[in-house]
Amino acid sequence: MERDIVIYPNEILKTKAEEVKEFNEKIINLVNDMFETMYKRGGVGLAANQVGVLKQVVVIDLHSRTEKQGKEQIVLINPEIVAQEGEIVKEEGCLSLPGLYRKVKRAAYVKVKAQNLNGEDFEIEGEDLLARALQHEIDHLNGVVFIDRLSPLQKRLALEKYKKLKRKYEREMAQKR
Ligand code: NI
């Protein structure tokens, strides 16, 4: 089932998500809904905060917009960055800040420790787009959005632009209903 996306500056996006302790049907449903919602919106990653659930759950599919969609789904429960290297600046966007894109500095490589849907530990390493997606989504679970990674001046400018984009988005959503 597709869920509504929480739009910045909603407090849920600024709140730390809780650790998942029970790996049950509810979490499986949440993950399925998150993938469906992410594909509908054309995103490559989604954190549970963005559908209004304060649980440490992230889904990623870098092929979200291609014919390979669904073939390399990544589910991360209680993820944590355990190593990182390098630095790379690239443009980034977020389904919770519709229409806004800014260059953000991120580590070029990260190693993440997480649990799967069965509660088993695993590690995943990523460079480039995957490294960026991992950092962006784990930030969400910690109540951080990508504009929080900008300098204070750049963030202020981004917020001015975002105010207009948000009004436009809200008008479009109102028309769809
Ligand atoms: Ni995001």
Side-chain angles (χ1 to χ4, degrees):
M1 194 185 65
E2 191 185 357
R3 302 200 188 188
D4 286 337
I5 298 267
V6 174
I7 298 300
Y8 188 86
N10 192 303
E11 280 304 313
I12 294 171
L13 297 171
K14 301 176 183 174
T15 308
K16 216 170 152 24
E18 284 167 24
E19 187 186 342
V20 173
K21 288 184 179 143
E22 283 177 66
F23 294 79
N24 54 24
E25 194 79 4
K26 236 180 146 175
I27 296 297
I28 294 171
N29 285 337
L30 172 65
V31 163
N32 288 335
D33 287 357
M34 284 171 66
F35 273 117
E36 193 179 330
T37 306
M38 183 182 85
Y39 292 139
K40 281 254 170 72
R41 304 297 189 99
V44 295
L46 197 68
N49 314 44
Q50 294 181 274
V51 293
V53 178
L54 284 170
K55 292 273 179 200
Q56 290 180 29
V57 177
V58 159
V59 300
I60 292 173
D61 184 347
L62 299 182
H63 303 291
S64 173
R65 299 171 201 140
T66 74
E67 67 284 357
K68 276 168 77 189
Q69 180 193 88
K71 290 195 177 148
E72 281 174 69
Q73 292 184 332
I74 300 168
V75 176
L76 302 161
I77 300 179
N78 305 324
E80 193 188 332
I81 294 171
V82 291
Q84 62 180 71
E85 259 177 51
E87 223 176 71
I88 190 162
V89 178
K90 240 182 178 169
E91 195 165 77
E92 216 167 284
C94 178
L95 294 177
S96 291
L97 291 101
L100 187 72
Y101 297 89
R102 284 293 182 274
K103 285 188 172 166
V104 184
K105 195 200 287 177
R106 298 278 188 190
Y109 158 91
V110 290
K111 187 201 266 185
V112 170
K113 195 182 86 182
Q115 286 167 291
N116 64 19
L117 279 169
N118 299 317
E120 298 154 350
D121 294 332
F122 72 100
E123 280 185 348
I124 179 168
E125 292 175 293
E127 289 178 58
D128 302 323
L129 183 57
L130 179 55
R132 183 162 295 271
L134 289 165
Q135 292 167 84
H136 179 115
E137 301 311 332
I138 292 171
D139 265 358
H140 272 302
L141 300 182
N142 290 311
V144 173
V145 294
F146 76 99
I147 56 170
D148 297 330
R149 294 283 180 194
L150 303 174
S151 71
L153 172 65
Q154 287 303 320
K155 182 177 173 180
R156 197 160 55 79
L157 294 171
L159 279 172
E160 275 172 32
K161 168 92 176 166
Y162 176 65
K163 261 190 219 162
K164 291 174 201 148
L165 290 166
K166 184 168 177 274
R167 278 200 293 270
K168 186 169 163 251
Y169 174 81
E170 283 166 348
R171 275 199 304 274
E172 283 168 7
M173 291 309 277
Q175 277 166 9
K176 274 188 196 166
R177 290 211 172 102

